[in-house]
Amino acid sequence: MIKACLFDLDGVIVDTAKYHYIAWRELAKEMGFDFTENDNERLKGVSRMASLDILLEIGGIELNQEEKEKLATRKNEHYLSFILKMEPDEILPGARAFLETCRENGIATALGSASKNAMTILNRLELTHLFDAIVDGNKTAKAKPDPEVFLKGAEELGVEASQCVVFEDAEAGVEAALAAGMKCVGIGSPDILSKADIVISGLDQMDIQKLTNLI
Ligand code: BG6
Ligand code: MG
């Protein structure tokens, strides 16, 4: 019996990848190299500092910790300038409706995101009240594919891992869900998310029947 659904944020509830991309690309440009949309795929689900390390690796640039922190702060300020303007119409199709369906059916909901900006985004999208627990990058020490973020979510909800289903768009996130002993629904391409129990194109393709069939 499924008692809880845990949702990744970026790529599942809202498409913030485009804003992350513009902000990282700007930094790369300042440092004198190109950062492509294809490169940006490598940053999905990855924490801010780990993303910066990948960016610097692409540019072949080495910096000390202090310089890296300054750059990460600058990137985040740029990113914030976009997300502070987000409106509820940017919620991905079906996300709000499926969160409501879960709650109407007595299934608890949690957010499990690597982002330290998760609360800001949920507030902008007017979705905060639809989550029974919120675990974000401020509450976790270990990045996906470590299962920490989802195990904390289950703990906050008081639900066993085996009774949880995770919704994820990143390979590292799918691995984190499986490592937590949870079922996983991949959102996106079956090629990239082949380890997930099922893969759908978006939450508009999800319903209670498909959820129940997972266990
Ligand atoms: C994840 C995104 O959800 O959050 C990553 O998929 C991002 O691309 C990470 O780097 C950290 O986000 P933030 O908002 O803390 O910089
Ligand atoms: Mg994601």
Side-chain angles (χ1 to χ4, degrees):
M1 164 106 170
I2 290 161
K3 292 207 173 152
C5 286
L6 287 79
F7 300 85
D8 173 46
L9 177 65
D10 297 316
V12 172
I13 305 281
V14 67
D15 176 21
T16 46
K18 57 186 179 215
Y19 301 132
H20 282 296
Y21 174 58
I22 298 170
W24 286 125
R25 190 183 57 190
E26 194 61 34
L27 278 194
K29 201 170 142 199
E30 285 169 20
M31 290 185 281
F33 63 91
D34 282 339
F35 176 63
T36 67
E37 255 180 283
N38 202 25
D39 293 330
N40 194 52
E41 285 300 308
R42 289 177 64 193
L43 309 191
K44 289 191 177 167
V46 176
S47 74
R48 194 181 307 164
M49 288 311 284
S51 296
L52 176 60
D53 284 336
I54 296 173
L55 185 86
L56 293 174
E57 182 202 303
I58 292 168
I61 290 172
E62 275 185 40
L63 295 177
N64 64 34
Q65 194 55 28
E66 199 188 326
E67 291 168 320
K68 284 208 256 183
E69 265 154 33
K70 270 196 211 151
L71 273 187
T73 302
R74 207 137 57 75
K75 180 268 172 176
N76 195 52
E77 284 164 2
H78 195 186
Y79 178 64
L80 275 172
S81 73
F82 295 113
I83 60 173
L84 288 172
K85 284 189 224 128
M86 275 191 336
E87 296 290 339
D89 64 7
E90 287 190 55
I91 299 170
L92 287 170
R96 180 198 293 274
F98 186 65
L99 283 163
E100 287 168 350
T101 302
C102 285
R103 295 164 67 90
E104 282 158 16
N105 284 274
I107 296 167
T109 56
L111 189 85
S113 168
S115 174
K116 293 188 174 173
N117 295 304
M119 282 307 301
T120 306
I121 297 170
L122 289 183
N123 287 337
R124 284 296 314 169
L125 300 178
E126 298 170 13
L127 287 178
T128 314
H129 65 289
L130 293 177
F131 290 94
D132 299 302
I134 293 175
V135 183
D136 65 13
N138 299 298
K139 285 193 184 172
T140 49
K142 298 181 214 147
K144 300 169 188 177
D146 189 281
E148 184 189 22
V149 63
F150 296 129
L151 290 174
K152 276 207 174 163
E155 194 187 315
E156 283 198 20
L157 296 173
V159 174
E160 296 285 320
S162 60
Q163 296 171 320
C164 294
V165 176
V166 170
F167 294 84
E168 255 296 345
D169 72 313
E171 195 183 5
V174 172
E175 286 169 7
L178 301 181
M182 300 176 180
K183 294 285 177 196
C184 187
V185 177
I187 307 280
S189 148
D191 297 339
I192 300 171
L193 306 173
S194 58
K195 291 182 192 144
D197 294 288
I198 57 166
V199 180
I200 55 174
S201 58
L203 286 173
D204 54 345
Q205 300 302 313
M206 199 61 204
D207 54 42
I208 288 294
Q209 190 57 52
K210 280 188 194 158
L211 198 63
T212 316
N213 288 346
L214 284 167
I215 295 190

